[in-house]
Amino acid sequence: MSFDTEVPAELPVVPLRSTIVFPTSVLGLQIGAPYNLEVLSAHPERHILVALVLAPGEPDDPIDARTLNKIGVMARLSDQLNLPGGSVQVTVHGIRRVRLSKVRVEPGAGYIGSARAIRPGTIEPAVADDVIGRILTTLESITAEIERVPREIPAILRMNIGDPARFADLVATLTNFSVARKDEVVQLLDVEKRLRFVLEELETQFHRLKEVEAASERPRGEEDGDESEPERAQRLRQRIRSLQVELGEIDPTERQAIELLRRAETVDLPQHVAARVRTEIERLRAAGLESPEAEEIRSYLEYLITMPWSRFVAPPPSEIDLDAVRSAMNRCLLGLDEPKDRLLDYLAVARLRGDLQGQIICLVGPSHTGKSSLARTIAEGLGRPIEYIELGGKSEAHLVGDRRTRSAARAGRIVGVLRDANAMDAVIVLEEIDQVGLGNVDGDPVTALEEVIEWRGRSEFVDRYLDVPVDLTRALFIATSQDFMRIPVDLREHLVEIRLGGYTPEEKVQIARERLLPELIRENGLERKDLRFPREALYFLARGYARDSGVGLMRRELSALLRTRARAKAQGTAGRWTFNEERIEEILGSPRYTATVAESAPEVGVVTGLAWTAAGGELMFIEALKMPGSGRLQITGSLGEVMRESVNAAYSYTRSRAASLGIDDEAFSEYDLHVHFPEAAIPKDGPSAGIAVALAIASTLSNRPVRHDIAMTGEVTLRGKVLEVGGIKEKVLAAYRAGVRRVIVPRGNQRDLRDVPDEAKEKITFTFVERLDEVFPAALLEAEARIPDARDAWRREGQRRREVEEDIAPPAPPRAASDIERGAVPGEPPGLRPGRPPGKRPGAPPGGEAV
């Protein structure tokens, strides 16, 4: 039976002579009066609800039923034990005050009366704190004066000040109140009057003690002059408390302790946290407000009390609404169908299992591709607050706090964001998890973070500052990263990778029209009627100014255009601006990306590779050049060991296929080969450029140009096998954005094309290869198919001029030293072609041009 049991219309009445039972109290009681034994006999059930009330008069006096019509306490009687002499011992549980009326005697059943519930009274917190503080100060003085009064009573009362009404009852229960005074406490329904009555009774007892003390020869504690310093300090403190009682004042330390205890009582603290709070409050009282550690104790208590230990704002995982999450994601984000499905799969498992046990989500992708937006929409769909923790360059203490023994100690961000969100089931985004532990950081943040995300320890996570277990099992952790393989291996095993690729120009245009432009128009104080953005202009902006993987550059450039329109509107320019290509170039300047690889010509030794970076896919041009030498291979660029080994493997395989490629054996011994990766300041590593390097080497040594409209990726082995690589979606999108329409990929990566957007797959022709021998015929042109370079153009122009001069001018007289003998060619710029003059070299076929 619970203590909030409703009050029956009628209750058996048990009159008491020498005992008072207060609500919520528990005690053993011996019942021996015949009228009370009749109540027990009439109700043989195990638990009996009765009304306990004090009967006036002596124990043997008869009881007038009319004197029982007053306030009593409804109680539960249980655990009856028969004793010698006919009495019965029962356990009494006080429940609540009731108003008794129409009490009468029923033959064989004892006293019975009508009962009515009494609504609990209220009191202003400030008034309650003031009176409670005075009560505790008075009790401290009384317990110091009277040895028979337990000194623990003030401490016990101090731990139970959350309910002022119950506090007054406890004071009357634990202190030296007479039965009559205790009954007066029961009869007082107004909480403030009840507290002040208790205070007046204690002050009366205190003044009585002071009178006894004044009647003695000397005050206590001053009988001799050899008291120790601690004894003297204790005596002085007691005197100060006595003066405060006489003046009706409260010790400031006591006042703050009461305020903290009341706040701790009013919030739902776990048992282990409540115990720690009470211990720290006692430390604060003992130390005093002026002590050096007082401020540190107050800050610590403030943190413990304000933590949302038992506050949850969303339904449990078993009630996750997947449709609401999907609607939130589709409402805020365009595209990203694959990541959305994977996130819903994760949440569906949590719903079926009823918890968030296991690995946490890790959204992987370039900047501005929607990682943070996805996390935000998940929080919106789940109805949870969201908080962010940046991990890059942060120390261990930043995550899990400092020990309180350190100066300026503070809690870590893990519990800090829960406190900020005021909910234990918040969504916590761990940003840049691939950068955790990098740089000059203190401690071991990787291990500290593993304590947080590892499921088995998540329920007992201990922040160094709080030093009490914190349950993180209801919080939803989502990590973000640009490169999943850069995440420490100890953390990767606790993560579920969900990859986000880049956007095509078409997708950027759609996002700009449906998401970015409406938002930016509002941000810049404009209206839709102030401007017009044709789809062609947005596509021009995406191709020429915003060729990154995400939409960050697109947002920045659109903001710059709208700010220009906002300034014109502020200066009085009315009408609608149409942002065409000319106006965009006028404001932003010439496009950053004017020419693409698809607009270039085939060249010998230049191959377009595809690389994956943390910012998305990128084109990587690989250059090779031969020069007279001794067969030395030189590699330049900021390359890692894996890529250098890949270049060596590609060179060795190309040399083994020299005959089929039309390369003379002497080329490997008479020429040095230089392989260069431009943008040398950017670190590059990985084997995925293997087939591109091999093609560049083969093109240079065979003098055959490489097709300009093709890009490739793939790892090559010494046997010529082409192995699959990662990042296919990002690499294909990079080729698509650059205008490349033919891509060579390993056959093992054919399945990865399902992640590539349909518009890119429709416009790109894919060639799947298993061996390097399939790459050479697909990408190498014949020597005569090479488009002449600038030197050829100068040579043809010089020949044309000579032919014209021979037709219109007489032969020139002989000269001592002709220009031809000096190696000059008419119409050719000096320095372009030193050496042998144009003409027929010895042994050249008729009509052949000298080389």
Side-chain angles (χ1 to χ4, degrees):
M1 187 179 298
S2 63
F3 288 104
D4 58 354
T5 305
E6 293 185 2
V7 179
E10 287 192 339
L11 279 175
V13 179
V14 177
L16 301 176
R17 294 285 193 177
S18 59
T19 304
I20 292 293
V21 177
F22 287 95
T24 72
S25 62
V26 180
L27 73 159
L29 182 66
Q30 288 189 15
I31 296 178
Y35 43 80
N36 290 336
L37 291 175
E38 288 180 354
V39 171
L40 299 180
S41 300
H43 298 85
E45 57 267 25
R46 228 175 131 182
H47 301 285
I48 311 171
L49 280 180
V50 299
L52 304 177
V53 63
L54 182 68
E58 297 298 324
D60 296 331
D61 293 345
I63 299 175
D64 184 356
R66 291 174 297 178
T67 62
L68 302 182
N69 292 323
K70 60 180 183 177
I71 304 299
V73 175
M74 186 176 74
R76 181 183 65 185
L77 305 184
S78 60
D79 302 329
Q80 298 184 23
L81 178 65
N82 297 322
L83 298 176
S87 62
V88 178
Q89 179 173 308
V90 296
T91 300
V92 179
H93 295 253
I95 299 177
R96 60 186 301 177
R97 285 176 169 82
V98 293
R99 185 179 296 277
L100 296 175
S101 61
K102 301 179 182 179
V103 178
R104 63 193 184 277
V105 178
E106 293 283 347
Y111 291 93
I112 295 178
S114 299
R116 182 164 56 88
I118 298 174
R119 180 177 299 179
T122 60
I123 185 175
E124 290 293 329
V127 176
D129 289 351
D130 181 72
V131 180
I132 290 173
R134 293 177 60 185
I135 290 174
L136 291 173
T137 302
T138 306
L139 266 175
E140 289 281 357
S141 298
I142 293 175
T143 55
E145 296 289 341
I146 305 177
E147 294 182 357
R148 69 176 181 271
V149 177
R151 296 181 180 272
E152 294 80 10
I153 288 179
I156 295 173
L157 293 172
R158 202 175 286 112
M159 299 301 108
N160 296 274
I161 64 174
D163 185 353
R166 182 170 179 262
F167 176 83
D169 294 342
L170 281 175
V171 174
T173 302
L174 298 175
T175 55
N176 191 25
F177 278 34
S178 65
V179 174
R181 304 298 274 176
K182 288 182 180 180
D183 187 54
E184 290 187 54
V185 174
V186 172
Q187 302 305 311
L188 289 171
L189 301 181
D190 186 276
V191 179
E192 182 177 352
K193 291 181 179 179
R194 193 187 310 169
L195 281 172
R196 293 194 181 280
F197 177 84
V198 170
L199 174 61
E200 291 171 2
E201 178 66 20
L202 291 176
E203 287 178 340
T204 301
Q205 296 180 14
F206 173 76
H207 290 305
R208 190 178 302 121
L209 287 173
K210 297 300 291 183
E211 291 173 0
V212 173
E213 181 180 301
S216 62
E217 295 182 1
R218 288 193 303 180
R220 293 181 54 195
E222 297 184 2
E223 289 81 359
D224 49 55
D226 59 350
E227 65 177 342
S228 64
E229 192 65 29
E231 290 173 344
R232 181 173 179 274
Q234 178 65 24
R235 179 173 56 80
L236 292 176
R237 289 194 192 96
Q238 174 57 30
R239 182 172 296 178
I240 291 172
R241 279 196 295 267
S242 298
L243 293 173
Q244 288 172 339
V245 172
E246 294 182 13
L247 295 172
E249 296 179 351
I250 306 174
D251 181 43
T253 304
E254 190 71 55
R255 184 187 297 275
Q256 180 145 44
I258 291 171
E259 179 186 351
L260 291 170
L261 284 168
R262 184 182 58 78
R263 290 178 58 196
E265 289 282 342
T266 55
V267 297
D268 189 9
L269 297 178
Q271 186 174 358
H272 66 283
V273 179
R276 174 62 64 86
V277 168
R278 290 193 291 267
T279 301
E280 292 297 322
I281 291 176
E282 285 300 310
R283 278 189 62 210
L284 180 63
R285 287 188 65 259
L289 295 181
E290 303 301 327
S291 62
E293 64 268 25
E295 184 59 35
E296 182 270 326
I297 297 175
R298 279 198 300 266
S299 299
Y300 178 66
L301 285 169
E302 185 71 22
Y303 217 104
L304 286 178
I305 294 174
T306 56
M307 276 289 293
W309 296 100
S310 303
R311 186 172 189 270
F312 303 97
V313 298
S318 59
E319 300 177 15
I320 289 177
D321 189 346
L322 298 178
D323 292 334
V325 177
R326 177 180 287 278
S327 299
M329 290 191 294
N330 292 336
R331 185 169 58 252
C332 299
L333 291 168
L334 297 175
L336 302 177
D337 295 333
E338 181 76 14
K340 290 177 182 177
D341 288 338
R342 299 293 76 77
L343 286 169
L344 290 172
D345 293 345
Y346 179 90
L347 295 176
V349 172
R351 174 177 174 174
L352 294 177
R353 197 167 49 197
D355 56 46
L356 297 172
Q357 180 178 349
Q359 298 171 311
I360 72 171
I361 301 168
C362 183
L363 302 175
V364 182
S367 299
H368 303 290
T369 52
K371 300 189 293 295
S372 297
S373 298
L374 265 180
R376 186 174 63 252
T377 56
I378 291 174
E380 180 183 341
L382 295 175
R384 302 184 177 208
I386 185 169
E387 296 290 337
Y388 299 87
I389 301 177
E390 292 189 5
L391 301 177
K394 299 301 188 293
S395 64
E396 177 182 358
H398 177 82
L399 298 176
V400 295
D402 302 296
R403 299 288 183 187
R404 290 177 61 198
T405 53
R406 297 183 58 182
S407 62
R410 60 181 181 179
R413 285 293 294 157
I414 299 297
V415 298
V417 295
L418 293 175
R419 183 171 178 248
D420 296 341
N422 195 28
M424 297 299 290
D425 55 352
V427 175
I428 302 177
V429 182
L430 304 173
E431 296 190 295
E432 303 174 345
I433 196 172
D434 53 338
Q435 298 185 26
V436 64
L438 299 181
N440 186 19
V441 297
D442 296 331
D444 187 0
V446 175
T447 302
L449 187 60
E450 188 177 9
E451 295 178 11
V452 176
I453 65 177
E454 202 275 327
W455 171 253
R456 289 187 296 273
R458 212 179 298 172
S459 61
E460 294 292 326
F461 168 71
V462 178
D463 182 85
R464 309 290 191 267
Y465 178 77
L466 295 186
D467 198 27
V468 290
V470 180
D471 188 0
L472 302 177
T473 55
R474 289 285 294 272
L476 175 61
F477 288 92
I478 299 177
T480 66
S481 171
Q482 292 192 7
D483 187 351
F484 189 74
M485 297 311 296
R486 281 172 50 191
I487 301 174
V489 64
D490 292 341
L491 300 179
R492 283 207 303 268
E493 63 183 14
H494 302 296
L495 304 176
V496 175
E497 180 187 10
I498 298 179
R499 185 171 292 279
L500 283 72
Y503 296 103
T504 64
E506 289 80 4
E507 289 175 328
K508 290 183 181 180
V509 170
Q510 184 182 6
I511 293 172
R513 288 175 62 87
E514 299 186 22
R515 294 290 186 269
L516 297 182
L517 273 176
E519 178 183 342
L520 293 175
I521 288 173
R522 290 192 302 269
E523 289 181 3
N524 288 277
L526 298 171
E527 300 177 13
R528 292 299 298 265
K529 64 181 181 180
D530 293 327
L531 54 94
R532 177 175 174 270
F533 248 113
R535 183 179 294 273
E536 296 76 15
L538 288 173
Y539 191 78
F540 171 73
L541 192 66
R543 296 276 296 183
Y545 298 87
R547 202 182 286 177
D548 58 329
S549 297
V551 292
L553 285 178
M554 195 74 172
R555 170 184 283 273
R556 188 171 67 185
E557 303 300 346
L558 284 173
S559 297
L561 295 173
L562 295 188
R563 283 194 296 270
T564 302
R565 177 66 186 99
R567 185 186 67 175
K569 182 178 180 180
Q571 294 175 345
T573 303
R576 170 178 289 191
W577 278 25
T578 298
F579 284 95
N580 50 28
E581 296 182 8
E582 291 75 15
R583 176 161 279 171
I584 291 175
E585 285 197 43
E586 179 184 348
I587 298 173
L588 300 180
S590 299
R592 295 188 189 91
Y593 310 100
T594 54
T596 65
V597 69
E599 298 167 354
S600 304
E603 293 187 51
V604 173
V606 179
V607 180
T608 304
L610 296 173
W612 183 93
T613 69
E618 296 288 345
L619 298 186
M620 179 173 61
F621 295 96
I622 301 170
E623 302 174 350
L625 179 68
K626 69 177 181 178
M627 64 204 79
S630 57
R632 184 169 62 94
L633 176 63
Q634 182 179 0
I635 307 171
T636 55
S638 182
L639 310 178
E641 287 300 320
V642 174
M643 185 166 281
R644 291 183 179 275
E645 293 174 0
S646 181
V647 173
N648 288 320
Y651 179 77
S652 298
Y653 183 79
T654 304
R655 186 171 182 178
S656 69
R657 291 293 187 270
S660 61
L661 293 171
I663 303 173
D664 296 334
D665 292 338
E666 293 77 10
F668 296 96
S669 59
E670 296 180 358
Y671 290 97
D672 288 343
L673 189 64
H674 187 165
V675 178
H676 179 59
F677 293 80
E679 300 183 17
I682 301 176
K684 294 174 282 290
D685 198 11
S688 62
I691 64 173
V693 172
L695 187 61
I697 295 173
S699 170
T700 300
L701 295 177
S702 64
N703 290 320
R704 297 171 60 184
V706 180
R707 293 186 57 157
H708 67 286
D709 60 346
I710 196 166
M712 62 198 68
T713 182
E715 179 182 356
V716 66
T717 68
L718 278 176
R719 296 176 296 164
K721 293 186 65 177
V722 178
L723 305 181
E724 61 185 89
V725 293
I728 291 297
K729 178 182 179 181
E730 290 81 1
K731 294 174 181 179
V732 171
L733 288 178
Y736 177 72
R737 289 193 297 266
V740 178
R741 293 300 178 259
R742 294 178 62 90
V743 176
I744 297 177
V745 295
R747 187 172 298 278
N749 288 116
Q750 188 171 0
R751 63 180 182 275
D752 296 324
L753 294 185
R754 63 185 179 88
D755 300 330
V756 179
D758 293 336
E759 60 266 23
K761 287 191 289 188
E762 292 172 358
K763 296 182 180 180
I764 292 179
T765 301
F766 294 95
T767 301
F768 303 102
V769 296
E770 292 183 349
R771 300 192 60 83
L772 191 55
D773 292 337
E774 303 173 46
V775 177
F776 295 139
L780 282 177
L781 300 175
E782 296 300 326
E784 60 270 13
R786 179 172 62 90
I787 296 177
D789 57 14
R791 185 185 302 275
D792 298 325
W794 281 104
R795 185 180 297 113
R796 289 197 307 273
E797 179 64 17
Q799 180 65 26
R800 186 186 64 80
R801 291 180 180 177
R802 287 197 303 272
E803 292 174 353
V804 171
E805 290 173 355
E806 291 175 357
D807 291 340
I808 65 175
R815 292 174 291 173
S818 67
D819 292 337
I820 294 179
E821 292 173 332
R822 290 194 300 269
V825 178
E828 184 174 3
L832 261 179
R833 188 182 176 187
R836 184 182 299 276
K840 296 182 180 180
R841 59 181 174 85
E849 183 182 3
V851 178

